[in-house]
């Protein structure tokens, strides 16, 4: 099978825990550490604008409370998404998907867009995020990789931008996971690193699918996964793992 046209190491939520997750500041910090491939979580505002946020609520990572999906982007864009992390980032705004796309496209960075729908809005979120990604990346050699734990989100993405590569996220090896990834036309599986075995990697590679893992923050599992022949490692530890470290095994 063809090797994945991506750096091996992918910065989780921009720069892991070193900067407020899923903000432009985090992406800039990850890039300062030499990273050129990133993962982020994208959902929709009340008026359908894709933006970056991991949780369904604003509570943990902004100065507001409640469901993010109930607010319009004009309101979300004025929140403080940095003070929760540290004073150095006070006032850092939430990032629109548009801003992150501009940063990645302007710097030639690869982007793994995790479609993280507000519960109940899976299909539409996949549709909108994929359509917007296709518009922004039109004509580029390396498209973004769209991933989700939610099959309905990947179905939505397939409906509006079938040309963009998709990956099924796995936090357990539930019954039928392999067939589900194939039925969704995925090019890759992105699994919790603890789930991997040599057999699983061989099964994926045998089906022409790439095997990626999250969230790899320590040396010992990193070596083990590299030995298994994984195609991508998503990490918080952008200050400890060189993005230029080669593939092993
Ligand atoms: O996309 C990999 C990883 O980010 C999935 O889990 O909860 O960190 O978004 P989570
Ligand atoms: Mg994620």
């Amino acid at each position: 099978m063809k090797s994945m046209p991506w750096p091996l190491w992918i910065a989780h939520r921009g720069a892991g825990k070193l900067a407020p997750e899923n903000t432009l500041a985090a992406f800039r910090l990850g890039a300062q550490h030499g990273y050129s491939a990133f993962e982020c979580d994208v959902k929709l505002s009340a008026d359908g604008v894709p933006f970056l946020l991991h949780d369904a609520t604003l509570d943990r990572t902004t100065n507001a409370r409640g469901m993010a999906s109930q607010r319009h982007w004009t309101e979300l864009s004025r929140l403080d998404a940095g003070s929760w992390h540290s004073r150095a980032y006070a006032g850092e705004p939430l990032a629109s998907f548009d801003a992150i796309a501009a940063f990645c496209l302007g710097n030639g960075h690869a982007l793994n867009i995790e479609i993280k729908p507000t519960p109940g809005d899976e299909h539409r979120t996949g549709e909108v995020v994929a359509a917007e990604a296709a518009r922004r990346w039109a004509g580029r050699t390396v498209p973004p990789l769209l991933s989700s734990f939610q099959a309905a989100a990947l179905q939505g993405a397939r409906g509006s931008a079938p040309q963009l590569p998709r990956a099924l996220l796995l936090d357990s090896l539930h019954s039928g996971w392999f067939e589900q990834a194939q039925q969704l036309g995925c090019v890759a599986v992105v699994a919790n690193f603890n789930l991997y075995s040599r057999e699983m990697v061989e099964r994926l590679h045998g089906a022409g699918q790439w095997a990626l893992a999250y969230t790899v923050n320590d040396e010992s599992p990193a070596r083990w996964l590299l030995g298994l022949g994984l195609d991508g490692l998503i990490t918080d530890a952008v200050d400890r793992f060189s993005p230029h470290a080669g593939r092993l095994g």
Side-chain angles (χ1 to χ4, degrees):
M1 68 184 284
K2 281 203 300 192
S3 63
M4 195 168 159
W6 274 50
L8 176 68
W9 289 95
I10 301 165
H12 191 221
R13 307 183 193 175
K17 300 179 194 308
L18 298 179
E21 63 189 52
N22 287 316
T23 64
L24 192 50
F27 274 67
R28 290 198 170 111
L29 186 61
Q32 281 168 23
H33 282 278
Y35 276 68
S36 58
F38 297 86
E39 184 266 2
C40 65
D41 307 297
V42 179
K43 55 174 44 69
L44 300 180
S45 67
D47 50 339
V49 178
F51 71 102
L52 275 61
L53 190 73
H54 181 275
D55 301 355
T57 72
L58 296 160
D59 301 20
R60 182 175 63 85
T61 58
T62 79
N63 60 338
R65 294 287 173 270
M67 293 293 288
S69 60
Q70 292 176 359
R71 305 205 187 198
H72 286 221
W73 174 246
T74 48
E75 190 185 351
L76 291 168
S77 66
R78 288 194 287 265
L79 298 180
D80 178 346
S83 288
W84 70 274
H85 180 275
S86 55
R87 282 167 57 184
Y89 290 105
E92 177 68 26
L94 288 168
S96 66
F97 174 65
D98 208 43
I100 294 301
F103 179 76
C104 290
L105 288 165
N107 289 285
H109 296 326
L111 185 62
N112 170 202
I113 303 163
E114 182 187 343
I115 305 167
K116 197 74 133 179
T118 302
D121 201 17
E122 289 82 5
H123 194 274
R124 184 180 72 119
T125 304
E127 275 181 342
V128 172
V129 172
E132 191 57 21
R135 187 180 72 76
R136 292 304 308 244
W137 265 262
R140 296 294 181 126
T141 314
V142 178
L145 176 64
L146 305 175
S147 61
S148 189
F149 288 106
Q150 309 297 331
L154 293 172
Q155 279 157 354
R158 187 183 206 171
S160 66
Q163 73 277 23
L164 292 185
R166 291 173 299 281
L168 181 64
L169 272 159
L170 295 173
D171 58 5
S172 69
L173 295 182
H174 56 77
S175 158
W177 68 268
F178 182 78
E179 292 74 19
Q180 187 176 43
Q182 295 204 308
Q183 283 156 13
L184 291 163
C186 291
V187 301
V189 158
V190 184
N192 182 308
F193 76 86
N194 288 302
L195 300 176
Y196 274 106
S197 62
R198 189 164 296 283
E199 294 68 37
M200 180 170 163
V201 177
E202 284 171 0
R203 192 174 185 197
L204 287 167
H205 284 172
Q209 298 202 356
W210 291 309
L212 285 76
Y214 71 92
T215 307
V216 184
N217 293 338
D218 295 303
E219 184 82 20
S220 166
R223 290 199 154 276
W224 170 65
L225 293 161
L226 289 171
L228 292 185
L230 260 77
D231 302 288
L233 302 179
I234 299 174
T235 185
D236 289 323
V238 300
D239 53 340
R240 288 188 286 113
F241 288 125
S242 165
H244 308 298
R247 289 171 162 81
L248 304 175

